[in-house]
Amino acid sequence: MRPAIIHTTLFSLLVTRPTGRSVRTNVERQIAAAGRTVLAVLDMRDVPLIDFSCADEIVAKLVLLASDASPQRWFVLFRGIGERHLGPIETALSRQGLAAAAESAEGQPLLLGALDPGAVAVWREIWTLGRTRASPLATRLQLPVDRVEGMLEELVTRALVIRDGNRYVSLGRAFQDADPPPAEDRGER
């Protein structure tokens, strides 16, 4: 399963609830218009500041909606997360018991918010592998398969991992697979 990608780059200070609501509403409209499974990627590299109200309006509400059992499945990946973003985002997610998949500005995987430590370990392994099945993952983590399957289901329900048949795919891999390489990498100019 290859989700449609909606890539949004944010460029401004995100410091008021109305601004956050406007950004979130725009992303929700794009997701609804896709009409199929979507991976919404919000790039925050050029956001110098996000306050708690915007983190709540954008990050927490999008994560909450993504984990909702709606007919159209969608996922959210936050990219370009810097130290300046962590406090407000972690607070907004933790207040509601939510977790979000992210990448740091340097491209390192981040799992933000509230999640069981075992599920965090499973998420990190999937991120490293890109895609896997439950059994090899259980072997790598030296855990019983049924326990790993339970954690995988939690990650899928919380929209932190994509299930593709009996395989599980990290949001980072889904994004990489959807991105065509730059023209110079394909020998084009």
Side-chain angles (χ1 to χ4, degrees):
M1 171 194 44
R2 291 184 93 166
I5 302 293
I6 295 171
H7 192 263
T8 302
T9 302
L10 306 175
F11 292 101
S12 65
L13 296 170
L14 299 175
V15 294
T16 67
R17 190 164 291 278
T19 300
R21 189 175 303 119
S22 175
V23 168
R24 178 181 44 79
T25 302
N26 184 38
V27 171
E28 288 175 1
R29 271 193 293 253
Q30 291 177 57
I31 291 168
R36 64 183 203 136
T37 301
V38 169
L39 173 57
V41 179
L42 278 73
D43 192 331
M44 299 182 68
R45 238 165 265 182
D46 295 319
V47 174
L49 177 68
I50 183 170
D51 76 354
F52 292 95
S53 64
C54 273
D56 183 57
E57 277 294 332
I58 298 169
V59 179
K61 287 188 179 175
L62 284 174
V63 167
L64 183 62
L65 291 169
S67 62
D68 187 24
S70 65
Q72 181 184 352
R73 191 71 170 128
W74 53 286
F75 303 85
V76 184
L77 174 63
F78 298 93
R79 298 185 78 211
I81 300 296
E83 282 292 322
R84 65 194 179 275
H85 305 122
L86 289 176
I89 290 174
E90 287 276 7
T91 299
L93 292 169
S94 294
R95 280 184 193 160
Q96 297 185 48
L98 300 171
E103 286 182 352
S104 71
E106 297 78 31
Q108 296 301 310
L110 299 170
L111 189 56
L112 306 173
L115 198 61
D116 170 82
V120 171
V122 169
W123 182 86
R124 288 190 192 290
E125 280 299 311
I126 293 171
W127 192 278
T128 299
L129 296 169
R131 63 175 46 88
T132 189
R133 291 181 172 89
S135 182
L137 190 57
T139 301
R140 280 179 68 100
L141 293 169
Q142 299 179 353
L143 293 170
V145 174
D146 61 333
R147 182 165 177 227
V148 170
E149 287 171 342
M151 288 185 275
L152 286 166
E153 287 309 308
E154 178 185 0
L155 293 171
V156 169
T157 300
R158 295 181 77 170
L160 297 168
V161 170
I162 298 171
R163 184 185 315 124
D164 186 10
N166 64 355
R167 298 178 94 183
Y168 298 87
V169 182
S170 75
L171 301 186
R173 175 54 59 101
F175 182 61
Q176 288 173 349
D177 289 350
D179 268 351
E184 58 272 8
D185 292 349
R186 294 189 312 253
E188 300 172 14
R189 295 211 185 244

